[in-house]
Amino acid sequence: MTGAICEQCGGQINGGDIAVFASRAGHGVCWHPPCFVCTVCNELLVDLIYFYQDGKIYCGRHHAECLKPRCAACDEIIFADECTEAEGRHWHMKHFCCFECETVLGGQRYIMKEGRPYCCHCFESLYAEYCDTCAQHIDARASPETAT
């Protein structure tokens, strides 16, 4: 194909050059071999299974993330109809649990510390602060800034 344009870099593909034609992308759509990469991670897809959606090419991992969220705890795709969304991330229902005691936290009050959820009891036992005046620990459940 003389005069074809690479979908990734916009450069010309001359007659005699090696080009990648992706049948899922449609007739006449092509790439330079080093340009045929995942839109998200730039993994070279020449010898791998690729997915084409909305004018973009993806590796299997990132295409799956376009369809379903990935669990923040186990890094697996969440295929279940129900999941928990907290702190801008998704979790399997059973994986949204206290980092310390593993109590499931769905529908419960929790406190995030360093990206990890804790039940109020474990958070207080691990990270409680004490009042300088009365020496009692400051109840995290009473603080709207830290509890969600």
Side-chain angles (χ1 to χ4, degrees), residues 7 13 29 36 44 47 50 55 73 83 104 107 127:
E7 288 291 310
I13 299 173
V29 180
F36 193 66
L44 186 62
D47 294 322
Y50 72 93
C83 66
V104 175
Y127 304 108

Side-chain angles (χ1 to χ4, degrees), residues 121-136:
H121 175 76
C122 287
F123 184 86
E124 288 170 0
S125 67
L126 293 167
Y127 304 108
E129 294 185 28
Y130 291 87
C131 176
D132 292 335
T133 303
C134 69
Q136 295 291 318

